[in-house]
Amino acid sequence: MEGFASNLYLVISIVEIIILLMIAAFMVMLGIKFWKEKRFGPVIAFAVFLIVCLTLTWWSLQDKFL
């Protein structure tokens, strides 16, 4: 049972990092969309959220794998 729990933790950790990176990619796409429309308020908000998302990804990566 301990091996199963360890493998489940590994799978959940990898999925968490993938989801955070997908959210980051979505923020980049939205930022580019609003940048082209010359609407800079949402671009700033998406940039801040992107920094937060990438920071959480890095902390999660360090905590689980490094």
Side-chain angles (χ1 to χ4, degrees), residues 3-26:
F4 174 75
S6 176
N7 289 338
L8 184 63
Y9 179 75
L10 180 66
V11 169
I12 290 173
S13 300
I14 291 170
V15 169
E16 174 189 1
I17 290 172
I18 289 171
I19 289 171
L20 284 169
L21 289 175
M22 287 172 55
I23 292 170
F26 185 65

Side-chain angles (χ1 to χ4, degrees), residues 2-65:
E2 187 174 314
F4 174 75
S6 176
N7 289 338
L8 184 63
Y9 179 75
L10 180 66
V11 169
I12 290 173
S13 300
I14 291 170
V15 169
E16 174 189 1
I17 290 172
I18 289 171
I19 289 171
L20 284 169
L21 289 175
M22 287 172 55
I23 292 170
F26 185 65
M27 290 298 111
V28 168
M29 289 188 300
L30 283 175
I32 291 171
K33 176 187 180 291
F34 284 114
W35 183 270
K36 288 180 181 178
E37 295 176 4
K38 305 288 188 215
R39 295 174 58 193
F40 299 112
V43 172
I44 294 169
F46 291 141
V48 169
F49 189 74
L50 176 64
I51 291 169
V52 170
C53 189
L54 290 177
T55 302
L56 289 174
T57 304
W58 178 246
W59 287 347
S60 179
L61 184 67
Q62 283 184 326
D63 182 45
K64 293 174 175 67
F65 298 109

